[in-house]
Amino acid sequence: MITGGAGFIGSHLVRLMVNKYPEYKIVCVDALTYAGNLENLRDVESAPNYVFEHADVCDFGAMERIMRSHAVDGIIHLAAESHVDRSISDPLAFVRTNVEGVMSLLQAARRVWNGAFDGKRFLNVSTDEVFGALPADRPDLKFSESTPYAPHSPYSASKASADHFVRSFFDTYGLPTVISNCSNNYGPYQFPEKLIPLVINNIRHGKPLPVYGEGLNVRDWLYVGDHVRALDLIFHQADPGSTYCIGGDCERRNIDIVRSLIAVTDRLLGNSEGHSLPLITYVADRAGHDMRYAIDSSKLQHDLGWKPVVGFEDGLERTVRWYLDNQQWLDRITSGDYREYYRRHYGSDC
Ligand code: NAD
Ligand code: DAU
């Protein structure tokens, strides 16, 4: 059972699992919030080993029913409110989905599996943001599995809280849980509220490219395909109670990401070099903006033989191409709730 399977990372994971494991039944559970989109799964929706359940993870009764009716023996939990800026304007929604949601799933798993934990697995897909922020001038420092939790945003605090509950279910009830903490993902099907698809979408419309503060904050970028390959390995091979950090070893300043996107997008659109550079617009900084994230994924590399295979330049080119080839997907998404959110957050239409 994969929760949040109609979202960005979830849809890549569902696709990988459905294609790689024809003998499994993959149950995708999603509430289809503004971020969930069944179009992301169109290519697998008629696969014989795929089932979709439209349900809210906070609905304990529904989770228990779905687990029993499909004899679920493994859960990969991705359903979440995932955007930091939304968590700043509406923190309670994050407590509900990210904290109550994981509690409802943990309880359902505990009840349905009823102590028969052999062959069962609960993987909680978490974020590197639970570790707080690193200084920009200490490249030697990275987050690892032993870094203490120090979240700053309501989003990261809700994810940290979820991780604590997950660990408590392992320690208290022996539920076979595993946690993964990943850095920033990018790739096809990412909702265009996040930096990379937002910038691509705005370049194509000739709209301002909002850069928070001075654009010097650093993120560690990982192509989404590499993330879901790591989740597959962790789900199948990690020891119960363990934690894995996942990262791309690819630190970039936001302003450099925006400049790279301009270079690739302008080239693919046939614009002259530097055509969209004047669109860069420095805007008010995000409240509590974490300076830098960086992940040391050596445990995952050493224990499970994982390493990222898509280099950043290649991944960015693939990503921009995908968005330009799928402009209808973008157009359908950038309506409704998104338009309203964009106006509120950036003070102008998108
Ligand atoms: P997303 O916002 O694209 O997708 C979230 C999905 O969860 C959507 O399909 C949405 O409909 C669904 N959902 C939301 N609330 C729900 C509820 N109450 N019940 C059922 N479904 C619900 O998110 P994403 O970027 O794909 O992230 C997926 C997970 O990975 C999240 O848990 C996030 O914290 C984590 N993560 C994301 C990144 C990243 O860079 N995007 C990095 C590390 C970890
Ligand atoms: O690190 C993992 C996290 O990465 C995930 O847990 C989150 O779900 C995911 O949203 C992402 O969080 P970020 O806040 O890092 O991603 P976002 O794309 O929102 O922003 C990336 C950086 O770009 C961040 O420093 C803020 C900045 N930014 C973002 C937007 C949307 C801008 O400068 N302008 C913008 O318009």
Side-chain angles (χ1 to χ4, degrees), residues 23-45:
E23 71 280 20
Y24 289 11
K25 185 205 268 188
I26 304 298
V27 183
C28 170
V29 173
D30 202 293
L32 300 180
T33 68
Y34 79 92
N37 184 352
L38 286 178
E39 267 190 59
N40 301 355
L41 291 165
R42 192 156 279 171
D43 52 332
V44 292
E45 69 188 5

PDB file of all heavy atoms in Angstrom, residues 23-45:
ATOM      1  N   GLU A  23       4.059  -9.508  -9.542  1.00  0.00           N
ATOM      2  CA  GLU A  23       3.431 -10.457  -8.613  1.00  0.00           C
ATOM      3  C   GLU A  23       2.853  -9.760  -7.369  1.00  0.00           C
ATOM      4  O   GLU A  23       2.136 -10.377  -6.594  1.00  0.00           O
ATOM      5  CB  GLU A  23       4.441 -11.549  -8.212  1.00  0.00           C
ATOM      6  CG  GLU A  23       5.582 -11.117  -7.289  1.00  0.00           C
ATOM      7  CD  GLU A  23       6.756 -10.392  -7.982  1.00  0.00           C
ATOM      8  OE1 GLU A  23       6.567  -9.877  -9.102  1.00  0.00           O
ATOM      9  OE2 GLU A  23       7.844 -10.319  -7.381  1.00  0.00           O
ATOM     10  N   TYR A  24       3.154  -8.480  -7.175  1.00  0.00           N
ATOM     11  CA  TYR A  24       2.581  -7.740  -6.044  1.00  0.00           C
ATOM     12  C   TYR A  24       1.248  -7.136  -6.461  1.00  0.00           C
ATOM     13  O   TYR A  24       1.050  -6.841  -7.635  1.00  0.00           O
ATOM     14  CB  TYR A  24       3.463  -6.552  -5.645  1.00  0.00           C
ATOM     15  CG  TYR A  24       4.783  -6.840  -4.980  1.00  0.00           C
ATOM     16  CD1 TYR A  24       5.327  -8.119  -4.913  1.00  0.00           C
ATOM     17  CD2 TYR A  24       5.512  -5.797  -4.416  1.00  0.00           C
ATOM     18  CE1 TYR A  24       6.549  -8.337  -4.313  1.00  0.00           C
ATOM     19  CE2 TYR A  24       6.736  -6.011  -3.808  1.00  0.00           C
ATOM     20  CZ  TYR A  24       7.261  -7.282  -3.763  1.00  0.00           C
ATOM     21  OH  TYR A  24       8.479  -7.491  -3.181  1.00  0.00           O
ATOM     22  N   LYS A  25       0.378  -6.897  -5.482  1.00  0.00           N
ATOM     23  CA  LYS A  25      -0.759  -6.011  -5.744  1.00  0.00           C
ATOM     24  C   LYS A  25      -0.396  -4.659  -5.123  1.00  0.00           C
ATOM     25  O   LYS A  25      -0.131  -4.565  -3.921  1.00  0.00           O
ATOM     26  CB  LYS A  25      -2.028  -6.551  -5.088  1.00  0.00           C
ATOM     27  CG  LYS A  25      -3.265  -5.718  -5.444  1.00  0.00           C
ATOM     28  CD  LYS A  25      -4.351  -5.846  -4.392  1.00  0.00           C
ATOM     29  CE  LYS A  25      -5.314  -6.954  -4.712  1.00  0.00           C
ATOM     30  NZ  LYS A  25      -6.481  -6.950  -3.779  1.00  0.00           N
ATOM     31  N   ILE A  26      -0.340  -3.622  -5.952  1.00  0.00           N
ATOM     32  CA  ILE A  26       0.028  -2.292  -5.460  1.00  0.00           C
ATOM     33  C   ILE A  26      -1.255  -1.498  -5.227  1.00  0.00           C
ATOM     34  O   ILE A  26      -2.006  -1.216  -6.165  1.00  0.00           O
ATOM     35  CB  ILE A  26       0.922  -1.544  -6.484  1.00  0.00           C
ATOM     36  CG1 ILE A  26       2.174  -2.372  -6.818  1.00  0.00           C
ATOM     37  CG2 ILE A  26       1.280  -0.148  -5.962  1.00  0.00           C
ATOM     38  CD1 ILE A  26       3.098  -2.644  -5.666  1.00  0.00           C
ATOM     39  N   VAL A  27      -1.501  -1.154  -3.968  1.00  0.00           N
ATOM     40  CA  VAL A  27      -2.702  -0.394  -3.609  1.00  0.00           C
ATOM     41  C   VAL A  27      -2.289   1.054  -3.368  1.00  0.00           C
ATOM     42  O   VAL A  27      -1.556   1.357  -2.429  1.00  0.00           O
ATOM     43  CB  VAL A  27      -3.356  -0.965  -2.329  1.00  0.00           C
ATOM     44  CG1 VAL A  27      -4.643  -0.201  -2.023  1.00  0.00           C
ATOM     45  CG2 VAL A  27      -3.616  -2.455  -2.471  1.00  0.00           C
ATOM     46  N   CYS A  28      -2.769   1.925  -4.231  1.00  0.00           N
ATOM     47  CA  CYS A  28      -2.434   3.351  -4.117  1.00  0.00           C
ATOM     48  C   CYS A  28      -3.563   4.048  -3.366  1.00  0.00           C
ATOM     49  O   CYS A  28      -4.712   4.025  -3.792  1.00  0.00           O
ATOM     50  CB  CYS A  28      -2.294   3.936  -5.528  1.00  0.00           C
ATOM     51  SG  CYS A  28      -2.153   5.720  -5.577  1.00  0.00           S
ATOM     52  N   VAL A  29      -3.235   4.634  -2.218  1.00  0.00           N
ATOM     53  CA  VAL A  29      -4.245   5.333  -1.406  1.00  0.00           C
ATOM     54  C   VAL A  29      -3.969   6.826  -1.484  1.00  0.00           C
ATOM     55  O   VAL A  29      -2.862   7.268  -1.167  1.00  0.00           O
ATOM     56  CB  VAL A  29      -4.155   4.876   0.064  1.00  0.00           C
ATOM     57  CG1 VAL A  29      -5.070   5.720   0.943  1.00  0.00           C
ATOM     58  CG2 VAL A  29      -4.485   3.402   0.190  1.00  0.00           C
ATOM     59  N   ASP A  30      -4.964   7.596  -1.899  1.00  0.00           N
ATOM     60  CA  ASP A  30      -4.739   9.037  -1.999  1.00  0.00           C
ATOM     61  C   ASP A  30      -6.062   9.768  -1.808  1.00  0.00           C
ATOM     62  O   ASP A  30      -7.098   9.330  -2.312  1.00  0.00           O
ATOM     63  CB  ASP A  30      -4.122   9.381  -3.363  1.00  0.00           C
ATOM     64  CG  ASP A  30      -3.379  10.704  -3.343  1.00  0.00           C
ATOM     65  OD1 ASP A  30      -4.035  11.761  -3.175  1.00  0.00           O
ATOM     66  OD2 ASP A  30      -2.141  10.699  -3.476  1.00  0.00           O
ATOM     67  N   ALA A  31      -6.014  10.907  -1.105  1.00  0.00           N
ATOM     68  CA  ALA A  31      -7.218  11.717  -0.887  1.00  0.00           C
ATOM     69  C   ALA A  31      -7.460  12.660  -2.058  1.00  0.00           C
ATOM     70  O   ALA A  31      -8.479  13.349  -2.089  1.00  0.00           O
ATOM     71  CB  ALA A  31      -7.080  12.512   0.410  1.00  0.00           C
ATOM     72  N   LEU A  32      -6.509  12.740  -3.002  1.00  0.00           N
ATOM     73  CA  LEU A  32      -6.593  13.658  -4.143  1.00  0.00           C
ATOM     74  C   LEU A  32      -6.837  15.091  -3.681  1.00  0.00           C
ATOM     75  O   LEU A  32      -7.838  15.716  -4.020  1.00  0.00           O
ATOM     76  CB  LEU A  32      -7.665  13.187  -5.142  1.00  0.00           C
ATOM     77  CG  LEU A  32      -7.424  11.803  -5.737  1.00  0.00           C
ATOM     78  CD1 LEU A  32      -8.541  11.417  -6.707  1.00  0.00           C
ATOM     79  CD2 LEU A  32      -6.073  11.722  -6.462  1.00  0.00           C
ATOM     80  N   THR A  33      -5.921  15.594  -2.878  1.00  0.00           N
ATOM     81  CA  THR A  33      -5.937  17.010  -2.510  1.00  0.00           C
ATOM     82  C   THR A  33      -5.476  17.803  -3.723  1.00  0.00           C
ATOM     83  O   THR A  33      -5.241  17.232  -4.791  1.00  0.00           O
ATOM     84  CB  THR A  33      -4.967  17.282  -1.342  1.00  0.00           C
ATOM     85  OG1 THR A  33      -3.618  17.087  -1.816  1.00  0.00           O
ATOM     86  CG2 THR A  33      -5.228  16.360  -0.161  1.00  0.00           C
ATOM     87  N   TYR A  34      -5.244  19.095  -3.555  1.00  0.00           N
ATOM     88  CA  TYR A  34      -4.784  19.915  -4.689  1.00  0.00           C
ATOM     89  C   TYR A  34      -3.519  19.323  -5.322  1.00  0.00           C
ATOM     90  O   TYR A  34      -3.260  19.513  -6.512  1.00  0.00           O
ATOM     91  CB  TYR A  34      -4.506  21.364  -4.212  1.00  0.00           C
ATOM     92  CG  TYR A  34      -3.174  21.491  -3.506  1.00  0.00           C
ATOM     93  CD1 TYR A  34      -2.023  21.840  -4.211  1.00  0.00           C
ATOM     94  CD2 TYR A  34      -3.040  21.186  -2.144  1.00  0.00           C
ATOM     95  CE1 TYR A  34      -0.787  21.904  -3.583  1.00  0.00           C
ATOM     96  CE2 TYR A  34      -1.816  21.243  -1.520  1.00  0.00           C
ATOM     97  CZ  TYR A  34      -0.694  21.609  -2.245  1.00  0.00           C
ATOM     98  OH  TYR A  34       0.531  21.646  -1.634  1.00  0.00           O
ATOM     99  N   ALA A  35      -2.719  18.582  -4.517  1.00  0.00           N
ATOM    100  CA  ALA A  35      -1.430  18.068  -5.013  1.00  0.00           C
ATOM    101  C   ALA A  35      -1.543  16.681  -5.635  1.00  0.00           C
ATOM    102  O   ALA A  35      -0.585  16.203  -6.234  1.00  0.00           O
ATOM    103  CB  ALA A  35      -0.423  18.030  -3.867  1.00  0.00           C
ATOM    104  N   GLY A  36      -2.697  16.043  -5.489  1.00  0.00           N
ATOM    105  CA  GLY A  36      -2.858  14.685  -6.010  1.00  0.00           C
ATOM    106  C   GLY A  36      -3.525  14.731  -7.374  1.00  0.00           C
ATOM    107  O   GLY A  36      -4.483  15.476  -7.583  1.00  0.00           O
ATOM    108  N   ASN A  37      -3.026  13.923  -8.301  1.00  0.00           N
ATOM    109  CA  ASN A  37      -3.516  14.016  -9.666  1.00  0.00           C
ATOM    110  C   ASN A  37      -3.434  12.630 -10.307  1.00  0.00           C
ATOM    111  O   ASN A  37      -2.344  12.109 -10.543  1.00  0.00           O
ATOM    112  CB  ASN A  37      -2.614  15.014 -10.412  1.00  0.00           C
ATOM    113  CG  ASN A  37      -3.082  15.284 -11.823  1.00  0.00           C
ATOM    114  OD1 ASN A  37      -3.992  14.625 -12.330  1.00  0.00           O
ATOM    115  ND2 ASN A  37      -2.453  16.261 -12.457  1.00  0.00           N
ATOM    116  N   LEU A  38      -4.603  12.055 -10.611  1.00  0.00           N
ATOM    117  CA  LEU A  38      -4.589  10.704 -11.187  1.00  0.00           C
ATOM    118  C   LEU A  38      -3.985  10.680 -12.587  1.00  0.00           C
ATOM    119  O   LEU A  38      -3.592   9.620 -13.069  1.00  0.00           O
ATOM    120  CB  LEU A  38      -5.994  10.112 -11.175  1.00  0.00           C
ATOM    121  CG  LEU A  38      -6.482   9.669  -9.781  1.00  0.00           C
ATOM    122  CD1 LEU A  38      -7.911   9.141  -9.843  1.00  0.00           C
ATOM    123  CD2 LEU A  38      -5.556   8.612  -9.181  1.00  0.00           C
ATOM    124  N   GLU A  39      -3.889  11.854 -13.220  1.00  0.00           N
ATOM    125  CA  GLU A  39      -3.216  11.905 -14.535  1.00  0.00           C
ATOM    126  C   GLU A  39      -1.766  11.441 -14.414  1.00  0.00           C
ATOM    127  O   GLU A  39      -1.189  10.945 -15.374  1.00  0.00           O
ATOM    128  CB  GLU A  39      -3.181  13.348 -15.046  1.00  0.00           C
ATOM    129  CG  GLU A  39      -4.343  13.713 -15.927  1.00  0.00           C
ATOM    130  CD  GLU A  39      -4.107  15.068 -16.601  1.00  0.00           C
ATOM    131  OE1 GLU A  39      -3.115  15.219 -17.319  1.00  0.00           O
ATOM    132  OE2 GLU A  39      -4.938  15.962 -16.374  1.00  0.00           O
ATOM    133  N   ASN A  40      -1.185  11.623 -13.229  1.00  0.00           N
ATOM    134  CA  ASN A  40       0.216  11.217 -13.023  1.00  0.00           C
ATOM    135  C   ASN A  40       0.384   9.710 -13.154  1.00  0.00           C
ATOM    136  O   ASN A  40       1.504   9.222 -13.287  1.00  0.00           O
ATOM    137  CB  ASN A  40       0.705  11.633 -11.626  1.00  0.00           C
ATOM    138  CG  ASN A  40       0.610  13.130 -11.395  1.00  0.00           C
ATOM    139  OD1 ASN A  40       0.270  13.860 -12.305  1.00  0.00           O
ATOM    140  ND2 ASN A  40       0.916  13.577 -10.186  1.00  0.00           N
ATOM    141  N   LEU A  41      -0.733   8.970 -13.061  1.00  0.00           N
ATOM    142  CA  LEU A  41      -0.661   7.507 -13.035  1.00  0.00           C
ATOM    143  C   LEU A  41      -1.341   6.866 -14.235  1.00  0.00           C
ATOM    144  O   LEU A  41      -1.601   5.666 -14.237  1.00  0.00           O
ATOM    145  CB  LEU A  41      -1.304   6.990 -11.738  1.00  0.00           C
ATOM    146  CG  LEU A  41      -0.517   7.324 -10.468  1.00  0.00           C
ATOM    147  CD1 LEU A  41      -1.378   7.125  -9.231  1.00  0.00           C
ATOM    148  CD2 LEU A  41       0.743   6.458 -10.383  1.00  0.00           C
ATOM    149  N   ARG A  42      -1.639   7.696 -15.232  1.00  0.00           N
ATOM    150  CA  ARG A  42      -2.424   7.198 -16.371  1.00  0.00           C
ATOM    151  C   ARG A  42      -1.795   5.953 -17.002  1.00  0.00           C
ATOM    152  O   ARG A  42      -2.485   5.017 -17.378  1.00  0.00           O
ATOM    153  CB  ARG A  42      -2.564   8.319 -17.410  1.00  0.00           C
ATOM    154  CG  ARG A  42      -3.572   8.004 -18.460  1.00  0.00           C
ATOM    155  CD  ARG A  42      -4.124   9.245 -19.104  1.00  0.00           C
ATOM    156  NE  ARG A  42      -5.174   9.866 -18.303  1.00  0.00           N
ATOM    157  CZ  ARG A  42      -5.702  11.054 -18.567  1.00  0.00           C
ATOM    158  NH1 ARG A  42      -5.263  11.759 -19.572  1.00  0.00           N
ATOM    159  NH2 ARG A  42      -6.668  11.545 -17.822  1.00  0.00           N
ATOM    160  N   ASP A  43      -0.477   5.902 -17.093  1.00  0.00           N
ATOM    161  CA  ASP A  43       0.175   4.779 -17.785  1.00  0.00           C
ATOM    162  C   ASP A  43       0.130   3.476 -17.005  1.00  0.00           C
ATOM    163  O   ASP A  43       0.443   2.421 -17.553  1.00  0.00           O
ATOM    164  CB  ASP A  43       1.636   5.134 -18.141  1.00  0.00           C
ATOM    165  CG  ASP A  43       2.433   5.632 -16.953  1.00  0.00           C
ATOM    166  OD1 ASP A  43       1.828   6.208 -16.028  1.00  0.00           O
ATOM    167  OD2 ASP A  43       3.663   5.437 -16.932  1.00  0.00           O
ATOM    168  N   VAL A  44      -0.245   3.507 -15.722  1.00  0.00           N
ATOM    169  CA  VAL A  44      -0.331   2.232 -14.981  1.00  0.00           C
ATOM    170  C   VAL A  44      -1.758   1.919 -14.525  1.00  0.00           C
ATOM    171  O   VAL A  44      -1.999   0.850 -13.955  1.00  0.00           O
ATOM    172  CB  VAL A  44       0.602   2.209 -13.741  1.00  0.00           C
ATOM    173  CG1 VAL A  44       2.056   2.205 -14.154  1.00  0.00           C
ATOM    174  CG2 VAL A  44       0.302   3.333 -12.768  1.00  0.00           C
ATOM    175  N   GLU A  45      -2.708   2.823 -14.790  1.00  0.00           N
ATOM    176  CA  GLU A  45      -4.030   2.664 -14.161  1.00  0.00           C
ATOM    177  C   GLU A  45      -4.761   1.384 -14.584  1.00  0.00           C
ATOM    178  O   GLU A  45      -5.585   0.883 -13.828  1.00  0.00           O
ATOM    179  CB  GLU A  45      -4.918   3.904 -14.381  1.00  0.00           C
ATOM    180  CG  GLU A  45      -5.351   4.096 -15.805  1.00  0.00           C
ATOM    181  CD  GLU A  45      -6.068   5.434 -16.025  1.00  0.00           C
ATOM    182  OE1 GLU A  45      -6.148   6.253 -15.091  1.00  0.00           O
ATOM    183  OE2 GLU A  45      -6.544   5.638 -17.153  1.00  0.00           O
TER     184      GLU A  45
END
